[in-house]
């Protein structure tokens, strides 16, 4: 049967019909909201490259966490900006570091809000690389024990999930082992398994003061041209014990999300990164895009591609739109 009996427009005629046959729906329970945390007290500071996003001093977190929980968002992802940086990122695994303090403060204020902590050294190292630098090269194996120490100290502070984003080989295994040895078997690992070397992290690096001081991250983050390699990364992290995996960025990598979803059964997260957020915000400010429609379209596309969980700076706005 073809046209004129067949008319695909029949099911698009009214919003009720469209709702009935809609294939993908966004839910607030899919969302994770990233938070940038600084040490000390005072006012939250707006991040110039990410309008609507702030750096929160630890003492402002309880109020923010309560608001996020009230909106029904199930989880936050924490990024720390320490006062002190050094060659080996000591502040990352300081039991009284910024993330450790932040985690305790949030869990106390909103016990049911999941705290996911980003595990990486770049915000904590003076050179801004995600691992220990030896002779100008980021040394994989020397970095592993520091990442494991960081994850352990986050678990001790009350983190519900740890999320390594450094792209060192073997870090999931090292973290799993360190957690299990100390009795943290129940803490899941969300691995940034396929993380690309991307220009879309630009605004984040300004927000987190984590830009590399020399070179770039191409010797550890993935080449944007590759997708089979992404499947190998995911396979490897799952073999090492990752409970959930991530594709990052999201929007320019929807094919990677789809391939990972089809090849594996682990829960899959996608990170709608800072540059994707900044592009939308900038165009909205110019009056060139409608914010609500654009954001809903972007996030629906990420979900349609196969993501179960979406990490997005738009989460608070989306949560309030979904409830009206
Ligand atoms: C740290 C980290 C980065 C992001 C998440 N964790 C930056 C980077 O790798 O340079 C990017 C997040 C974003 O752009 O929103 N390794
Ligand atoms: Zn890093």
């Amino acid at each position: 049967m073809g046209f004129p009996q067949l008319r695909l427009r029949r099911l698009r005629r009214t919003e009720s019909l469209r709702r009935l046959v809609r294939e993908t729906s966004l839910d607030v329970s899919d969302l994770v909201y990233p938070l940038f945390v600084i040490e000390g007290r005072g006012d939250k500071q707006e991040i110039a490259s990410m309008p609507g996003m702030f750096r929160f001093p630890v003492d402002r977190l309880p109020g923010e966490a309560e608001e996020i929980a009230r909106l029904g968002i199930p989880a936050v992802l924490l990024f720390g900006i320490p006062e002190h940086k050094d060659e080996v990122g000591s502040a990352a695994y300081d039991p009284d570091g910024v993330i450790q303090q932040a985690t305790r403060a949030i869990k106390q204020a909103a016990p049911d809000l999941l705290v996911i902590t980003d595990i990486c050294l770049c915000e904590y190292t003076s050179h801004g690389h995600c691992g220990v630098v030896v002779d100008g090269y980021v040394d994989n194996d020397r970095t592993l024990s520091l990442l494991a120490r960081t994850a352990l100290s986050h678990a001790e502070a009350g983190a519900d999930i740890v999320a390594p984003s450094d792209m060192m080989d073997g870090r999931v295994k090292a973290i799993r082992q360190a957690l299990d040895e100390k009795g943290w078997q129940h803490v899941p690992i969300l691995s940034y398994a396929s993380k690309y070397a991307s220009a879309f992290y630009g605004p984040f690096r300004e927000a987190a003061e984590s830009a590399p001081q020399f070179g770039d991250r191409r010797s550890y983050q993935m080449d944007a041209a590759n997708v089979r390699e992404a499947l190998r990364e995911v396979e490897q992290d799952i073999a090492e014990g990752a409970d959930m995996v991530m594709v990052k960025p999201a929007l320019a990598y929807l094919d990677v999300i789809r391939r990972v979803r089809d090849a594996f059964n682990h829960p899959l997260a996608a990170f709608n990164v800072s540059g994707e957020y900044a592009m939308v915000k900038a165009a909205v400010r110019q009056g060139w895009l409608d914010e609500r429609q654009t954001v809903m379209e972007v996030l629906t596309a990420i979900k349609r591609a196969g993501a179960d969980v979406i990490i997005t700076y738009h989460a608070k706005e989306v949560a309030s739109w979904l409830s009206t």
Side-chain angles (χ1 to χ4, degrees):
M1 188 179 69
F3 177 84
Q5 293 90 345
L6 175 73
R7 289 179 185 269
L8 290 169
R9 288 183 56 189
R10 267 187 209 117
L11 293 177
R12 293 180 205 139
R13 203 166 50 85
T14 66
E15 178 56 16
S16 301
L17 280 166
R18 293 191 292 271
R19 264 182 70 204
L20 184 69
V21 299
R22 191 158 289 149
E23 299 175 35
T24 307
S25 63
L26 261 188
D27 192 277
V28 66
S29 63
D30 305 327
L31 306 176
V32 175
Y33 187 59
L35 282 177
F36 294 96
V37 190
I38 54 179
E39 295 184 48
R41 332 177 127 262
D43 291 333
K44 61 181 186 181
Q45 313 166 346
E46 187 157 24
I47 297 163
S49 55
M50 301 176 72
M53 289 296 298
F54 299 85
R55 299 190 192 91
F56 287 91
V58 172
D59 74 319
R60 291 296 162 111
L61 284 173
E64 180 68 10
E66 282 162 13
E67 187 186 331
I68 294 163
R70 238 188 341 265
L71 284 164
I73 296 169
V76 291
L77 172 59
L78 302 188
F79 295 103
I81 303 142
E83 229 129 65
H84 160 82
K85 300 187 192 233
D86 62 25
E87 288 280 303
V88 290
S90 317
Y93 36 91
D94 177 346
D96 208 27
V98 60
I99 291 298
Q100 291 80 355
Q101 290 182 37
T103 301
R104 290 191 289 263
I106 294 172
K107 291 309 292 182
Q108 197 175 4
D112 294 331
L113 182 64
L114 293 169
V115 170
I116 309 174
T117 56
D118 184 87
I119 308 290
C120 202
L121 299 184
C122 53
E123 296 108 297
Y124 305 89
T125 50
S126 42
H127 45 71
H129 278 289
C130 302
V132 177
V133 175
V134 178
D135 297 332
Y137 185 70
V138 176
D139 189 294
N140 193 87
D141 299 15
R142 268 181 233 223
T143 303
L144 296 181
S145 61
L146 304 182
L147 295 168
R149 242 173 108 178
T150 304
L152 188 57
S153 79
H154 291 182
E156 284 165 354
D160 296 289
I161 301 175
V162 294
S165 71
D166 51 280
M167 289 301 279
M168 298 302 118
D169 287 314
R171 91 289 189 148
V172 172
K173 185 177 178 184
I175 290 170
R176 187 71 272 158
Q177 214 163 10
L179 291 174
D180 289 0
E181 268 168 23
K182 300 284 185 188
W184 301 99
Q185 300 87 333
H186 57 280
V187 173
I189 298 175
L190 162 58
S191 165
Y192 285 68
S194 111
K195 175 172 175 180
Y196 287 86
S198 172
F200 289 99
Y201 307 153
F204 174 96
R205 291 180 189 166
E206 186 181 321
E209 297 164 7
S210 65
Q213 299 302 301
F214 66 91
D216 54 40
R217 303 209 201 291
R218 286 170 208 268
S219 79
Y220 42 105
Q221 298 180 346
M222 285 183 47
D223 188 321
N226 297 352
V227 62
R228 296 193 302 265
E229 187 186 354
L231 299 176
R232 297 184 72 200
E233 281 284 0
V234 170
E235 187 177 26
Q236 179 63 28
D237 283 5
I238 287 174
E240 290 181 22
D243 300 281
M244 305 171 69
V245 293
M246 191 194 302
V247 170
K248 176 188 173 190
L251 211 44
Y253 298 83
L254 294 177
D255 59 318
V256 182
I257 295 173
R258 171 47 55 196
R259 294 283 298 273
V260 171
R261 163 46 62 243
D262 288 344
F264 301 95
N265 291 317
H266 285 56
L268 174 59
F271 201 143
N272 176 218
V273 300
S274 58
E276 301 173 42
Y277 173 84
M279 284 196 302
V280 171
K281 285 285 178 183
V284 166
R285 283 194 161 184
Q286 294 286 325
W288 294 340
L289 286 174
D290 177 85
E291 181 163 28
R292 181 168 174 166
Q293 286 185 44
T294 305
V295 170
M296 292 303 281
E297 184 174 334
V298 164
L299 299 192
T300 301
I302 294 169
K303 183 116 188 251
R304 190 195 63 228
D308 304 298
V309 174
I310 304 173
I311 302 162
T312 180
Y313 303 100
H314 298 292
K316 281 173 71 177
E317 280 159 333
V318 172
S320 63
W321 296 333
L322 287 172
S323 71
T324 53

